[in-house]
Amino acid sequence: MSADDAADETADASNADADAPNAAPDDSPHILSEQSPAGDEKDAAEQSAETFHAFWADVVADAVEARDPDEPIVIKGGVSPSGVAHLGNFNEIMRGYFVAEVLRDRGREVRQVFTSDDKDPLRKVPRKLANADGEIVGLGEVDAGALGRNLGKPYTEIPDPFGEAESYAAHFAGLLKADADRLNVPVEMLSNTELYADGDFDDAVRAVLGDVERVREVLSPYQDKVDGEYVPFNPVCAECGKVTETVTGIDAAAETVDYVCTDMDAGGNTIEGCGHEGTATFREGKLPWRLEWPAQWGVLGVDFEPFGKDHAEGSWPSGVDIARNVFGEEPPVPMVYEWFTLNGEAFSSSEGNVVTVQELLELIEPEVLRYFFALHPKKARDLDVERLDQLVDRFDRFERAYFGEVDDPDLTAFAERAYPFVVGRPDDPPTERPIRLPYTFAAVLGMVDDPDFRERLARDEGHIPADADADAVDAALARVEQARNWAERTENEYDYRLQTDLPAVEFDEDVAAALDDLAEFVAAGHDGEEIQGAMYETARDHDVEVSDFFAAGYRLFFDDTQGPRLGEFLGELERDYVVDRLRREA
């Protein structure tokens, strides 16, 4: 759901904080299942059935089915196509997807739709855009003038700054559809512009402009600007193509309005109108968003729609009032979700604080991203890309719980219900747990270019069973490149390259002797933490500066003077390889 007068979109995502070993409070049970049933105007989170559900999507599905809806059941989301099609925009698609899949699992026919509010006017030029591959680019890399010259016009009338799609709106919608395809989410992308042009909104516009006094009465408690002169319709100027808000007359019989193209306020800036006086048909304009949103419910027959908490106190109550008292329709089952932040800051297309689905899929598997959205929708979270390893660890634990390998009844109950949907196999749930390399260990392997050496290290550490088939091994090692991309993107402690061949280095006798002693210590079978401590003691025993000794180790393994916590890193590697390298033998 989106608003043409809203500020930057915000949404909900998974926290990257690690769980305590024996608790998963963010995973389950979801408080959606702890609420008592309530009336139609309550959030679906408060309309749970008598039976406890470990997965929040089941609670929403109960609320939808309680209304005995016609089929196909329609689940909707929506967005205004401004800036980058980012992860926050995708929130409603995934929240709706899980509810849709639960309903399908119950034998229901479901249609999931996502509207692009593309007849809205472009109010400001975003700082960043995304190309057809989902890669974020600056305005210097595109025809930014295509945007700047067309402020105030509907998104469908603005050229694609990349010069590929038929409009900027089509470019944006294409990105969201591509993201949905990447995650195997069957969603229909609908254009508001096309719905208006095809006459789908005709009845809604007639209802509004046929009784403007009634609309003003219903809308005035929610908007201060609604006065005796307010007309809730925005024609598109025939002269300059901009959306205008000044209607001077209505001819209900002819289904036209007279208008003047006046200035538009755009967040403190002014988009100048051309002053043209003209007449527009009911299809040559649009309803203001507060009316358009509830109009969509009737136009599309919407049964369920999730939306962010910013719309819970104003937009939703007004939408309910308008649906019932202007359009004569019942509103859909709602679900308010909490926003999420990115690296501690609000998602913002216009300000450029965004991450795309495609970018994240270069760092994590699709099922991890789907899990990301399966978590509790009413908890505020922060997605910290630098700590993405913690999200992956949580997914791995969730997956192990599904296979009965975690002693946590609540998490296990959540996993038993949600996991088949998270991996996209509700009709054919997996019977064997996939091989998963710990994410940070995969980042360690990412320091190595040789794929055979990667596999040997993974087997040596016990992360790949001896009897694993080739396909399972390849699937497990695919995480290595993702973790490598993460290390490079965040420039973290794993962003180094392990030297396959022995670098051409020479050391003083005392440093060489210390390296030999450390080799003996490693050969004895000590772990990484013990090796880290031994490096300090060994340096002191040989009267070598600790910093010089660590620099020698970095030279041997990275041909550099710095790197990760060396002892702990060496503990992750194949022991014989480490011993031979410390002895300068391989």
Side-chain angles (χ1 to χ4, degrees), residues 290-302:
R290 274 192 188 263
L291 289 157
E292 187 175 75
W293 185 28
Q296 289 174 337
W297 301 336
V299 167
L300 300 173
V302 180

Side-chain angles (χ1 to χ4, degrees), residues 62-81:
D62 284 352
V64 173
E65 288 193 311
R67 296 189 176 191
D68 193 23
D70 294 332
E71 296 189 35
I73 294 172
V74 178
I75 292 174
K76 177 190 170 297
V79 69
S80 186

